[in-house]
Amino acid sequence: MATIHEVAALAEVSVATVSRALQQPERVSDKTRARVLAAVKQTGYKPNLMAVKFRSGKSRNLVVLVPTVANLFFARVITGMQQSAHDKGYSLLLCNTMANEAMEQSYARMVHTSQADGLIQLRAFNPFTGLEMAADQPLPMVNACEVLDRIRCPTVLLDNKAAAYAMTEYLLGLGHRRIAMIKGPPRSPLTRDRVAGYKEALAEAGVDFDESLLSPGNFSLASGQKAAADLMALPRPPTAIFCENDEMAIGALQQLKQLGLRVPQDVSVAGFDDIAFAAYSDPPLTTIAQPAEEFGSTAVSLLIDLIEGRLGKAPKVILPFDLIERASTGPAPGHLT
């Protein structure tokens, strides 16, 4: 079997450089790494991964807890994670937890027992609850997308209140005063912040908040469809519906069509996330775009920096959003532009 010394000789680098190129590729130049990989291929060298783990104390595995892989936004987040982890020489262990706390805690124990180096959590739950962790150190975890308010770990989030405020303000600017919101699960911090932004925009415009226009949902197509049916059955139905994610908005669009209503002439519809289908719905969906892939890549970078000792604190990274105007929104009926 080929040895690391043969690879180093062929690539004309040191043994330490070969090791870095294979284990920490971000620490060597692209040119050097390419030379090392070519030598590895030519010699047929296969590193002893168990020996590497023993020497370094690292598995180079990262656990990712996803509430549901069926969510299209999370699928984009995972794509960003996968590329970033690969580029940095780490592997992902993807766990579709369905928000099961016991399952999430079992994966946290993998990190606690050094079977994995760290964990990324995509919902507002601390899976290390009940485990003895160092009180003076950040948890070996990054909380992304749906984050806890107070937690000792890096977080990656969007300013959801500001984003919901921006969309509500946009709809108000089109003359809408009966603006409904189809919200997410009540325990979700996303729901809390987006409802707060919606209410604040209404208040600043002098529009009274109407509880009947705040309809429950669970981020699914079906819940958007049902909520839209309930809203349009009100004695005074809305002229605009703002949904807390695009899947509910697409479900709402479908229901409005079944009711014989035109979008946006009769009712405007807006979403949140800018999933791929948003631009291809009928009509194309106005939405808040958040950088899903950047959520993933940022979370992985922060976790690796934490694992490798480059983070002394637990930073909070707030990513930007954009309001994407498409054909699903227009002036309120009777409003002159």
Side-chain angles (χ1 to χ4, degrees):
M1 291 179 61
T3 68
I4 194 170
H5 296 279
E6 292 174 89
V7 174
L10 185 60
E12 298 180 341
V13 297
S14 68
V15 169
T17 298
V18 173
S19 180
R20 279 195 296 272
L22 297 178
Q23 297 177 48
Q24 297 172 293
E26 73 280 3
R27 295 184 59 190
V28 300
S29 69
D30 292 342
K31 183 177 179 181
T32 298
R33 183 166 183 257
R35 207 159 69 239
V36 169
L37 292 179
V40 166
K41 184 176 181 181
Q42 186 174 335
T43 60
Y45 172 67
K46 297 187 184 304
N48 185 333
L49 297 180
M50 288 302 293
V52 169
K53 180 182 183 301
F54 181 77
R55 288 194 302 271
S56 67
K58 302 295 184 186
S59 68
R60 304 194 73 77
N61 292 327
L62 308 177
V63 173
V64 180
L65 303 182
V66 188
T68 170
V69 294
N71 183 289
L72 296 174
F73 176 74
F74 286 148
R76 289 176 54 203
V77 174
I78 293 165
T79 298
M81 289 181 181
Q82 186 68 58
Q83 186 60 57
S84 181
H86 179 268
D87 291 345
K88 293 173 171 60
Y90 280 76
S91 298
L92 294 185
L93 303 177
L94 186 62
C95 315
N96 184 32
T97 68
M98 302 306 293
N100 182 302
E101 293 183 4
M103 184 183 295
E104 293 180 341
Q105 287 170 328
S106 72
Y107 285 113
R109 283 193 290 273
M110 289 182 63
V111 178
H112 195 240
T113 56
S114 301
Q115 297 174 72
D117 298 334
L119 178 150
I120 299 173
Q121 168 67 295
L122 296 185
R123 76 181 191 97
F125 172 70
N126 178 7
F128 290 95
T129 299
L131 296 175
E132 291 186 11
M133 308 300 295
D136 59 341
Q137 296 292 326
L139 292 172
M141 170 175 121
V142 171
N143 192 194
C145 301
E146 183 177 295
V147 302
L148 294 161
D149 289 329
R150 293 178 295 277
I151 188 167
R152 294 180 295 110
C153 73
T155 58
V156 187
L157 69 157
L158 194 82
D159 189 338
N160 285 283
K161 181 179 178 182
Y165 179 98
M167 181 60 81
T168 308
E169 184 181 49
Y170 162 76
L171 294 170
L172 288 163
L174 291 173
H176 296 280
R177 292 298 179 269
R178 297 284 293 168
I179 302 174
M181 172 177 266
I182 302 178
K183 61 181 182 176
R187 292 180 58 189
S188 168
L190 301 182
T191 299
R192 177 199 64 203
D193 292 345
R194 292 174 188 176
V195 169
Y198 159 76
K199 287 182 175 180
E200 185 173 306
L202 292 177
E204 291 193 5
V207 176
D208 291 336
F209 168 67
D210 184 342
E211 187 73 39
S212 71
L213 294 179
L214 194 58
S215 188
N218 62 12
F219 294 144
S220 69
L221 291 161
S223 71
Q225 190 170 22
K226 181 183 184 306
D230 293 342
L231 288 167
M232 300 317 295
L234 291 172
R236 293 181 59 219
T239 62
I241 301 175
F242 174 25
C243 304
E244 281 197 24
N245 79 338
D246 288 344
E247 291 186 51
M248 291 194 297
I250 292 170
L253 285 174
Q254 179 66 23
Q255 182 61 41
L256 293 172
K257 284 186 179 182
Q258 290 180 12
L259 293 172
L261 295 167
R262 300 168 301 161
V263 177
Q265 293 89 341
D266 299 319
V267 187
S268 288
V269 177
F272 203 113
D273 288 341
D274 197 28
I275 62 174
F277 294 141
Y280 299 97
S281 63
D282 183 22
L285 187 64
T286 293
T287 188
I288 295 290
Q290 49 178 335
E293 290 82 3
E294 190 177 348
F295 264 104
S297 61
T298 301
V300 165
S301 294
L302 283 172
L303 184 55
I304 291 174
D305 283 346
L306 182 63
I307 290 166
E308 297 183 355
R310 291 188 291 273
L311 281 185
K313 297 181 179 179
K316 178 181 290 187
V317 179
I318 301 176
L319 297 181
F321 65 86
D322 289 310
L323 195 160
I324 309 298
E325 184 178 3
R326 297 193 180 106
S328 69
T329 51
H335 180 72
L336 299 177
T337 58

